[in-house]
Amino acid sequence: MKRSIKQRHFLGIIVVFLLLGECLFGQCPGPAPCTPGAFNNGYEQIDPSSIVGAVFCSGQTRTFTIHVGPGTTTQAATGDIEYITLFFDFDCDGVFEYSVNDSCSYVNPGGCNVDLSVVAPTVASATMYNGRAHLVYNTPTTDPCANLPGSTPWGDIIDFTITVNLPPEPVLTSNDLDNTICDGDSVTFTATDGDEYEFYVNGISAQGQSATATFTTTTLNNGDEVTVRALDNANGCDTFSSGITTTVLNPTILTEPDSQTIFTGDTVTFSTVINDVDTYQWQVSTNGGSSYSNISNGAGYSGATTANLTISNAEIDKTNYLYRVQASSSLVSCPLVTSVAALLTVRVRSVITNRRITYRVNKN
């Protein structure tokens, strides 16, 4: 048996009140909100599946895509502007003090969608809050407790609840305690407090969402930041962890020591520029490069453990000696870097003297 418009309108109001009664059970403490005003959703109505039973995460923002569809008896005309206003009682005092609204242009047939972003309150435990949605033709409503505007209050009102859950609190750790590695080293990051995880490097997904709580990589560059998004599938929340920034050392010789030619008694300096190192050791070969020995300061040498080796008052016996430097970092055990060998040539200075020769001539 078909029901009249008035009968269906009355039944719609009864359903709304039943929803409201159900929503109030287990709500946060405080008085119940005011009853909804008069409305007639004959021409357009809110699709309840787009808002009822929404889940939020503490302190986070969620965007509702609310569908406006045909009414109970007919359908709005193409081009009609439909306003959706969402009201929330986030301080549990029975008053809808938080609201957002926007509109869409109706398309007949089908309807239109309104996207509304709502910032959830911060909670210490999972909490349910009251919400109310108003759909009105051409103008938003500001009073969640009044009748919808117009002599015939065309539009729709739906009471619903949202549940605000606690999001995960992921902790991200690395198997490298000081987060300083050598270029190409393998590092494993481990996350906690989620059902699934997605790992990011510099904000770009590096390992897709899965139940795997670890991420291993050998391709980090200096200054790269690794973060993880932890998901709690039971309550629909996710959270990003704090980031871990890794220092990646790649010792590289930028300037090799040059071969030098000097005279006996001169002072000469061999120099190098090497990045990502702080430890130097100069070495000398006296047999054409067959073997090298470490140099210590003294006996004409200084700067043996710096980037600049100085040889003072060089003697001829050092000619054809080869000098090289080995460098490393004290922060992490990267492979030693060894410079090319620089040749020292020592020459004897030429001494030119003036001679005076005296000849004696015999007159006899």
Side-chain angles (χ1 to χ4, degrees), residues 140-156:
T141 54
T142 57
D143 185 351
C145 303
N147 297 338
L148 295 186
S151 57
T152 302
W154 293 106
D156 196 10

Side-chain angles (χ1 to χ4, degrees), residues 49-302:
S49 67
S50 59
I51 54 174
V52 173
V55 175
F56 279 66
C57 303
S58 176
Q60 298 183 5
T61 300
R62 170 174 173 167
T63 298
F64 284 98
T65 297
I66 303 171
H67 181 65
V68 179
T72 58
T73 60
T74 185
Q75 188 166 181
T78 294
D80 281 357
I81 303 302
E82 310 290 351
Y83 271 92
I84 294 283
T85 303
L86 295 182
F87 300 93
F88 295 96
D89 176 16
F90 280 154
D91 59 5
C92 306
D93 62 355
V95 178
F96 290 116
E97 73 285 336
Y98 180 101
S99 66
V100 291
N101 71 77
D102 205 347
S103 64
C104 64
S105 178
Y106 199 91
V107 177
N108 187 332
C112 60
N113 293 326
V114 176
D115 290 333
L116 293 176
S117 294
V118 177
V119 180
T122 300
V123 299
S125 60
T127 307
M128 190 180 295
Y129 295 96
N130 286 316
R132 178 168 292 168
H134 277 186
L135 164 63
V136 183
Y137 167 69
N138 204 41
T139 181
T141 54
T142 57
D143 185 351
C145 303
N147 297 338
L148 295 186
S151 57
T152 302
W154 293 106
D156 196 10
I157 297 176
I158 290 182
D159 280 297
F160 63 100
T161 61
I162 66 168
T163 300
V164 179
N165 290 318
L166 290 175
E169 296 182 357
V171 175
L172 183 66
T173 57
S174 165
N175 68 335
D176 190 87
L177 296 180
D178 62 358
N179 300 311
T180 300
I181 63 172
C182 298
D183 185 49
D185 281 356
S186 178
V187 186
T188 297
F189 297 88
T190 302
T192 63
D193 203 33
D195 299 321
E196 293 185 323
Y197 305 91
E198 184 172 9
F199 290 86
Y200 293 77
V201 177
N202 299 327
I204 300 173
S205 179
Q207 181 171 290
Q209 179 179 330
S210 71
T212 302
T214 59
F215 167 57
T216 300
T217 179
T218 59
T219 61
L220 290 179
N221 296 311
N222 188 46
D224 280 354
E225 182 184 54
V226 177
T227 55
V228 67
R229 182 172 67 96
L231 296 89
D232 186 336
N233 291 318
N235 64 24
C237 291
D238 64 348
T239 309
F240 275 90
S241 70
S242 298
I244 293 178
T245 300
T246 302
T247 299
V248 181
L249 302 182
N250 184 21
T252 305
I253 298 176
L254 305 178
T255 303
E256 300 276 7
D258 292 325
S259 295
Q260 307 269 3
T261 298
I262 61 173
F263 292 106
T264 55
D266 283 352
T267 295
V268 64
T269 298
F270 292 101
S271 297
T272 185
V273 177
I274 307 175
N275 68 342
D276 290 345
V277 300
D278 57 7
T279 301
Y280 301 85
Q281 178 59 63
W282 285 90
Q283 296 179 322
V284 61
S285 174
T286 61
N287 54 15
S290 296
S291 61
Y292 284 85
S293 57
N294 291 342
I295 297 173
S296 300
N297 291 327
Y301 291 114
S302 60

Side-chain angles (χ1 to χ4, degrees), residues 22-46:
E22 181 182 356
C23 293
L24 291 176
F25 181 78
Q27 299 291 95
C28 59
C34 58
T35 58
F39 65 96
N40 184 338
N41 59 1
Y43 274 85
E44 57 267 309
Q45 61 182 340
I46 298 168

